[in-house]
């Protein structure tokens, strides 16, 4: 089940982006999901579900948009590997 959210945009935006209303709605779901994942509000699974794509595809899209999929830093990784 999906909730409907209405967003009002200036009438020339879909034309400026060369997108149909359906394409624009899909894009906005994806961009919102990417941002909510990036700021930690959604897990990758929940964000993928929101975007309407499989989780692995969502993670690939994160890479396309330079969104880190892990909060571990290089320093943390070096520390973890040194502890082994």
């Amino acid at each position: 089940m999906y909730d409907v959210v209405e967003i009002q945009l200036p009438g020339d935006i879909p034309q400026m982006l060369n997108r149909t209303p359906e394409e624009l709605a899909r894009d906005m779901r994806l961009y919102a999901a990417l941002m909510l994942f990036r700021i930690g509000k959604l897990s990758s699974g929940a964000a993928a579900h929101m975007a309407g794509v499989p989780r692995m595809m969502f993670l690939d899209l994160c890479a396309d948009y330079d969104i880190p999929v892990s909060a571990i830093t290089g320093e943390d990784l070096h520390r973890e590997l040194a502890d082994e």
Side-chain angles (χ1 to χ4, degrees):
M1 179 177 198
Y2 290 92
D3 288 325
V4 174
V5 176
E6 184 176 319
I7 299 174
Q8 296 180 0
L9 299 171
D12 57 344
I13 295 296
Q15 183 179 10
M16 289 172 65
L17 297 173
N18 195 29
R19 307 300 276 168
T20 66
E22 294 79 17
E23 290 169 332
L24 189 56
R26 186 182 64 236
D27 291 349
M28 293 191 75
R29 279 193 311 273
L30 171 61
Y31 300 147
L34 286 165
M35 184 55 64
L36 291 169
F37 172 71
R38 182 179 188 152
I39 65 173
K41 297 289 185 180
L42 290 178
S43 68
S44 61
H49 184 66
M50 178 178 173
V53 298
R55 184 172 173 269
M56 292 307 297
M57 182 184 287
F58 181 79
L59 294 174
D60 287 341
L61 288 164
C62 286
D64 292 345
Y65 289 96
D66 295 322
I67 296 173
V69 296
S70 173
I72 192 167
T73 65
E75 186 176 300
D76 292 337
L77 181 58
H78 286 293
R79 202 172 314 121
E80 287 286 325
L81 292 173
D83 289 344
E84 289 185 1

